[in-house]
Amino acid sequence: MGVCNKKSALGLFAALLLLAVGLPARAEVCATDDAERRVCLPAPAARIASLSPGATELIYAAGAGDKVVAVVDYSDYPPAAQEVPSLGSHTRIDVERLVALSPTLVIGWVTGNPPDQLKTIEALGIPVFYVEPRSFTDVASAIERLGTLAGSADEAQREASRFRHGMAEIRKRYAGKAPVRVFYQVWDEPLMTINDAHLIGKVLSICGGVNVFGDLERLVPRIGDASVLAADPEAILAGGMGEENRDWLTHWAQYPDLTAVTRDNLFFVPPSLIQRPTPRLLEGSRLFCEKLEDARARR
């Protein structure tokens, strides 16, 4: 009888062992961020905090919107993001409130968030994944990497592929178009623009635009009206301080000899479509290219 019990126990143990082997292991997930840091999580992130509006869009694009528990001000897209609690400005985060929400992953902004606050968050044991896409390839890659960390890789891959395909179509459509000399205004006071290394500069390029300040060293240089008048761009594109605000363009009407003014090539582009490195850059790029086509038609 004792021998039979022993055999039964061994049989049960063997069966349990086979069952355990058959179960999928809960492996960690890893991705390299835009600060070239390898970030690994013991399991896909279940609670995500986004510290920039652009990062918020990227997380939703990666199919992980249902896991977002905190954002920052101006995280207004997609509409569902407006219902998520805000931690304040991207330049001053309420770290105490962040910790209280128990995120398992924080998405930081390489150059936009306060470094000391990000270090504090990491010191508290909360993983931080830095994002700041600088090219079209980087945008697609960021979506895929976030999808990996959030456990939504399939949806992220589909969205990344859609973005890549769309940008390739734009590049092909406008290849060989006559160049248009352009000034893109990022801000009004102080007056700011972008150089060719900036993602917006790359959008101008695939549309056949020539950035009149493209050779400047700084990514977002400060300039003055005199510099714009000297460059005499054929078109001026600006976003303004809102999705419907064209006030920045009316400023240039005081210079009637400016070519962009003479030809009525003062174009408004909603800033969220072009100033955030997200899939909506595809829509913003199409709009940019259409504006430059208008400029070509007015020659």
Side-chain angles (χ1 to χ4, degrees):
M1 187 74 175
V3 173
C4 289
N5 286 341
K6 187 175 181 180
K7 287 183 177 179
S8 297
L10 287 173
L12 178 61
F13 176 77
L16 291 173
L17 182 62
L18 287 172
L19 179 62
V21 171
L23 291 174
R26 199 176 189 187
E28 68 177 5
V29 291
C30 299
T32 300
D33 67 12
D34 288 338
E36 299 183 352
R37 300 156 62 254
R38 187 73 171 167
V39 176
C40 292
L41 306 177
R47 297 178 63 80
I48 301 173
S50 167
L51 304 186
S52 75
T56 300
E57 289 193 28
L58 288 170
I59 295 167
Y60 275 85
D66 59 331
K67 298 182 178 183
V68 178
V69 297
V71 297
V72 291
D73 294 347
Y74 302 109
S75 293
D76 52 9
Y77 191 88
Q82 300 178 41
E83 305 301 319
V84 180
S86 173
L87 300 171
S89 166
H90 69 270
T91 60
R92 184 49 53 185
I93 303 149
D94 188 336
V95 176
E96 185 175 345
R97 190 176 183 199
L98 169 66
V99 173
L101 289 169
S102 303
T104 53
L105 179 65
V106 169
I107 312 301
W109 183 1
V110 177
T111 61
N113 295 143
D116 58 328
Q117 289 200 308
L118 293 179
K119 289 178 182 177
T120 297
I121 293 168
E122 289 188 285
L124 292 170
I126 304 172
V128 177
F129 187 84
Y130 290 80
V131 294
E132 189 163 319
R134 295 288 181 87
S135 69
F136 306 135
T137 298
D138 289 348
V139 172
S141 172
I143 295 169
E144 291 171 331
R145 287 175 284 148
L146 288 171
T148 296
L149 293 178
S152 54
D154 290 345
E155 187 170 346
Q157 177 62 52
R158 286 193 294 272
E159 179 61 14
S161 296
R162 183 190 72 85
F163 179 78
R164 288 191 182 100
H165 181 69
M167 295 307 300
E169 283 186 335
I170 292 174
R171 188 184 297 277
K172 181 179 179 180
R173 178 176 180 181
Y174 292 95
K177 289 283 186 177
V180 179
R181 300 179 71 255
V182 180
F183 161 53
Y184 180 77
Q185 182 175 335
V186 173
W187 202 250
D188 61 339
E189 294 182 5
L191 186 62
M192 302 171 74
T193 186
I194 45 89
N195 69 8
D196 283 342
H198 197 286
L199 191 53
I200 298 173
K202 292 177 171 64
V203 173
L204 285 175
S205 180
I206 67 169
C207 292
V210 177
N211 182 1
V212 296
F213 296 110
D215 293 336
L216 295 183
E217 184 176 351
R218 292 178 63 89
L219 199 65
V220 183
R222 293 187 180 188
I223 56 174
D225 283 19
S227 298
V228 177
L229 295 175
D232 192 26
E234 185 178 351
I236 295 176
L237 281 70
M241 295 180 67
E243 298 299 284
E244 304 293 338
N245 191 332
R246 298 177 58 91
D247 290 348
W248 290 359
L249 291 172
T250 60
H251 168 80
W252 299 106
Q254 67 181 300
Y255 302 115
D257 294 332
L258 200 60
T259 300
V261 175
T262 301
R263 297 183 183 177
D264 194 26
N265 289 336
L266 302 177
F267 301 119
F268 172 79
V269 178
S272 66
L273 296 183
I274 204 69
Q275 293 183 6
R276 296 179 187 176
T278 74
R280 286 203 293 164
L281 194 63
L282 183 58
E283 183 181 349
S285 298
R286 289 177 179 136
L287 189 54
F288 254 37
C289 292
E290 289 170 7
K291 300 301 185 186
L292 297 196
E293 279 290 84
D294 289 344
R296 292 185 184 99
R298 293 170 183 172
R299 286 174 170 167

